[in-house]
Amino acid sequence: MALAREGINLEDIKRDAKIEAVLKHVISQDVEIANLKDEQFEMRNEIKRRDETISKIEDDIRLLKKEKRWNMLWQNSLDEDINHTQIALLVVGVINVLFTFFMSR
């Protein structure tokens, strides 16, 4: 009754309290949406970094495969050179033995 004498309406207070609660809820939702947008932005950046890393690794793998092929070709070439050198040394050794044999006679 004292409130009625003062001119304070309880319904207005209830309505104002509901409006304030709704407003707080809307503000908290806005804050949550902003946080989710920030997280989404960070996730996009992380995905971009991951994709760049994958691309670099794939490039490295391609280069390593090329290098492996080159190394195999180089090794095959070296093996052929070693075989030729061994044959040449064998021929020179046989000639040396024959030369020594005929010179000693």
Side-chain angles (χ1 to χ4, degrees), residues 2 17 23 27 29 35-36 47-49 52 54-55 58 63-64 68 71 73 80-82 88 91-92 96 100 105:
L23 185 60
I27 290 172
Q29 291 295 321
N35 288 337
L36 290 173
I47 289 170
K48 285 180 187 177
R49 283 192 296 270
E52 289 172 359
I54 289 171
S55 175
E58 287 172 344
L63 288 173
L64 287 171
K68 181 181 177 183
N71 285 340
L73 290 173
E80 288 176 13
D81 290 345
I82 289 170
V91 169
V92 168
N96 191 19
T100 305
R105 289 191 130 223

Side-chain angles (χ1 to χ4, degrees), residues 42-54:
E42 290 173 10
M43 289 174 74
R44 282 186 188 150
N45 286 339
E46 184 64 32
I47 289 170
K48 285 180 187 177
R49 283 192 296 270
R50 187 204 62 188
D51 289 345
E52 289 172 359
T53 302
I54 289 171

Side-chain angles (χ1 to χ4, degrees), residues 10-21:
L10 244 65
E11 293 301 318
D12 289 341
I13 293 173
K14 288 180 184 178
R15 187 182 69 236
D16 289 346
K18 287 180 184 177
I19 290 172
E20 186 176 332

Side-chain angles (χ1 to χ4, degrees), residues 1 9 12 23 35 43 49 67 72-73 78 83 103:
M1 305 260 185
N9 186 353
D12 289 341
L23 185 60
N35 288 337
M43 289 174 74
R49 283 192 296 270
E67 185 176 327
M72 288 174 64
L73 290 173
L78 284 175
N83 290 336
M103 286 302 286

